[in-house]
Amino acid sequence: MVIKNYEIGARLDRLPVSKWHRKLLWLIGLGLIIDGFDNYIGGVILAQLTKIGWSNDYYNAAFSSATLAGLFVGSLLAGFLGDKFGRKTTYQINLLIFGIGSIIAAFSVNMAMLIGMRAIIGVGLGAEIVVGFSTFTEFLPSKTRGKWVSMLSLIGNSAPPVATLIGLIVIPAFGPTYGWRAMFLIAGIAAFVVWFLRKAMPEPPRWLATKGRTDEAHKIVTDVEHEIEAEMRFSLPPVDDVYQEEEEQVKIPFSTLFKKPLLLRTIVGISVLIGMNISLYTITTWIPTLFVKRGISVTTSIFMTTLILFGAPVGVFIATKVIDKFPRKWFGTIMLVLVAIFSVIYAIQTNPITIVIFGFALISFLYIYVCFASAVYVPELWPTEIRLRGAGFCTAIGRGFAILTPYGVAFFLSKFGEISVFLTIAVIMLVVAVILASLGIETRNKSAEEIAYDALSKKDAKELFANKVNANTPEI
């Protein structure tokens, strides 16, 4: 006798959020902070390298594109490795890649070497983000999943102002030659610290159950149940028919992402992440350089960028409070429209005060959307058996489209000025809003198992799961 996959999910869904969940939140969140720190020091470092003559617009574009290329590869690898070998195993490998790459980057002898190391760092960075949010999703109860995944995003997205604040201190302290190198060293050393802290994190029981490792899944869930009962001082409600007859292991091939019934989810996932990546990496990476081009000093541009990027944690904090209160796809659609509007408003500002005010508002709305898209919605779309491949593929394609974006930015900047860049972002976000509103599915307050079958006909469900849908499957 074994425990069916659906019953593992039902037991996890009935758990109240506890110290155990909060510990996972911080174990995963610390890795996202380190990754986010490394990602967002890019803009600060490029501004410094441009000032000292190491770099120019096209080297900056190559640096940004190398990051995105690494993110593309890392996202794909994380999807396949995470679904096959486990979330935790993949998680630790990618953090080592990231840490080693950051330390070597600190000792780069020229811009070509730094760009190459940036691509390697991007592989680790891309895997960390995909695995982190998808893994935490599999541990959480459905009714508060959006809130707590948003909390994880809030922790990770505290990195932008932290990165620029540290840059404001470290770069002047170490001087133009060594300041940017110290930033990479800080990221690499921190990555190894988090790697050791995270060794005790368990594999998600939902994933273990899909691999036939139900005894391990049962032990983890049982231990957590006992821990929560001791903490809360009450008995958890029973789950009916926890022990069932053995069912055959279900395998979902990667090609299923491109067939009914998952094809529309793939299209939606790719679209919302294309919009997110193009807007996110364009705005955050180029803000300091745009200030320098307007004649603002590096120190002042870093200070203004810091003020603007405080909108990131503010935006994600707002998301933690409201994301479970509204239907997912309409929430995302509204955020896309707001980002489009504020991109245009921000672009036409010339006064430093209004630049900071509207830049802060733009970043706030952008990061509410970032939280929705990458942390909450896209990881929710998929059955557990293919979650990391689905999320990883959509993330990779979204980043793949963004790889050429820095060259487009460099072209538009030189030919038409800053306003044209933000107008283009606005148009892209409006197109994505139409796609999400027309094709998106609703995931709010639904268990991972329910979402797997949501919006599927019985015929499609049976085809997807090769006639292995069990009696505990939710009614379609």
Side-chain angles (χ1 to χ4, degrees), residues 260-302:
K260 288 182 60 179
L262 293 185
L263 177 59
L264 287 181
R265 301 188 190 194
T266 303
I267 293 171
V268 170
I270 289 173
S271 299
V272 299
L273 292 180
I274 286 176
M276 186 198 82
N277 281 285
I278 289 177
S279 58
L280 178 64
Y281 289 105
T282 298
I283 294 171
T284 58
T285 299
W286 288 84
I287 280 177
T289 303
L290 292 177
F291 288 155
V292 171
K293 282 182 168 294
R294 292 181 180 182
I296 300 172
S297 70
V298 172
T299 301
T300 303
S301 72
I302 293 174

Side-chain angles (χ1 to χ4, degrees), residues 95-113:
L95 197 54
L96 284 177
I97 292 172
F98 167 77
I100 293 170
S102 295
I103 291 173
I104 295 176
F107 297 94
S108 296
V109 297
N110 53 42
M111 197 64 189
M113 178 179 175

Side-chain angles (χ1 to χ4, degrees), residues 151-165:
M151 288 291 291
L152 178 62
S153 182
L154 175 60
I155 293 173
N157 283 304
S158 65
V162 170
T164 50
L165 274 174

Side-chain angles (χ1 to χ4, degrees), residues 68-69 71-72 274 277 394-405:
L68 291 167
L71 292 171
F72 177 87
I274 286 176
N277 281 285
C394 291
T395 302
I397 298 302
R399 287 166 173 165
F401 271 80
I403 288 175
L404 297 177
T405 300

